[in-house]
Amino acid sequence: AVVSTQSTGSVNTMLTLFKSLVRCKLEYCSPLWSPYLIGDIQALESVQRQFTRRIEGMAQLDYWERLKKLRLMSLQRRRERYTIIQMWKSYIGAFPNSTNTR
């Protein structure tokens, strides 16, 4: 487990752990599998919600205040951003796909 049930760790340490060990797993290939059911979106978001609550000094803040203070985006917002970037790259031909192969 990355964190125990107690509030622990400095902000920088915890954010580094989250970004390198947890978030990358939740976002792997997200433009291909991005959830659309509210329950699935909330389940993924709850991982970040619970992790940020355990960061020192963040437990008393609500989720959106924690994200703002930690300079993080919601996982849903990040998935939307990745999807837009993927679509743009496909549109301009930045990588081969079945419609723009030469």
Side-chain angles (χ1 to χ4, degrees):
V2 177
V3 292
S4 66
T5 57
Q6 303 290 324
S7 178
T8 177
S10 72
V11 173
N12 288 336
T13 301
M14 295 299 285
L15 283 178
T16 300
L17 285 171
F18 180 73
K19 290 175 182 178
S20 61
L21 299 175
V22 178
R23 190 170 70 182
C24 61
K25 304 279 191 237
L26 298 174
E27 294 179 338
Y28 180 73
C29 291
S30 64
L32 299 176
W33 63 263
S34 188
Y36 60 93
L37 298 175
I38 292 174
D40 294 339
I41 293 168
Q42 289 174 342
L44 283 172
E45 207 69 44
S46 72
V47 175
Q48 181 166 279
R49 181 177 285 112
Q50 291 173 16
F51 199 99
T52 57
R53 187 180 301 131
R54 293 188 175 120
I55 296 175
E56 187 177 335
M58 298 291 151
Q60 73 281 4
L61 302 175
D62 77 3
Y63 179 56
W64 301 105
E65 290 171 343
R66 289 194 303 268
L67 291 182
K68 188 174 182 178
K69 189 164 185 158
L70 296 170
R71 295 168 155 178
L72 295 172
M73 288 190 277
S74 72
L75 296 175
Q76 175 63 22
R77 175 70 178 105
R78 288 176 59 87
R79 284 190 304 276
E80 290 168 353
R81 183 174 178 264
Y82 293 144
T83 300
I84 291 168
I85 291 169
Q86 184 80 13
M87 295 304 294
W88 176 252
K89 286 181 176 181
S90 178
Y91 177 74
I92 65 170
F95 55 84
N97 64 39
S98 61
T99 62
N100 72 357
T101 56
R102 296 174 195 194

